[in-house]
Every structure is written in C-alpha cells, then in structure tokens.
Amino acid sequence: TDEIMHQDIIPLYAADIQDQLKKQFAYLSGGRGGDGCPVITFPNYPAFSEIPEKEFQNVLTYLTSIP
C-alpha cells in the first residue's frame, strides 16, 4: 500500500510550516488543469533530493488542502 495516501491527514496551517514553504520547492501557480484541479509547480530546486520526506509531505498536504 502507499503509505502517503493512507496516513491520517492532520490539518496544516501556513504558520506551522512557514520555513518549509519559504524554500519554494513547490507552490500553487494559480493555474488549473483541464479537470479544474489546481496546478502544483515544482521549479528547479538544486537541493530537491535533500528535502526530508516529512517536509515534502507537509508542503504537498498543505498545498492540496487550499480550496
């Protein structure tokens, strides 16, 4: 099973992960896909492979929870 998809989701607030968000390794560009879902952008980030998994999960969880 995919651990990430089966974890209990705890609401995150920008203030809780502000240091992680400041790295800007992922962000909402404001665009929407053909199905209307928001587009998450992953810009070129030199240290992407060094981002801890939990930090990556926190940022994606937060970005996907924004209405």
Side-chain angles (χ1 to χ4, degrees):
T1 61
D2 185 0
E3 284 183 35
I4 295 172
M5 298 306 292
H6 295 287
Q7 292 179 357
D8 292 329
I9 297 175
I10 299 169
L12 290 173
Y13 301 98
D16 297 335
I17 61 168
Q18 66 183 352
D19 292 335
Q20 297 167 23
L21 292 171
K22 285 180 183 178
K23 292 181 181 179
Q24 296 183 344
F25 60 82
Y27 62 89
L28 291 175
S29 61
R32 296 221 173 244
D35 59 358
C37 293
V39 173
I40 296 176
T41 301
F42 295 91
N44 187 17
Y45 187 79
F48 192 82
S49 62
E50 298 171 14
I51 299 168
E53 184 176 339
K54 185 65 178 169
E55 190 171 308
F56 183 78
Q57 288 177 2
N58 285 344
V59 170
L60 286 187
T61 298
Y62 173 73
L63 293 177
T64 57
S65 70
I66 299 172

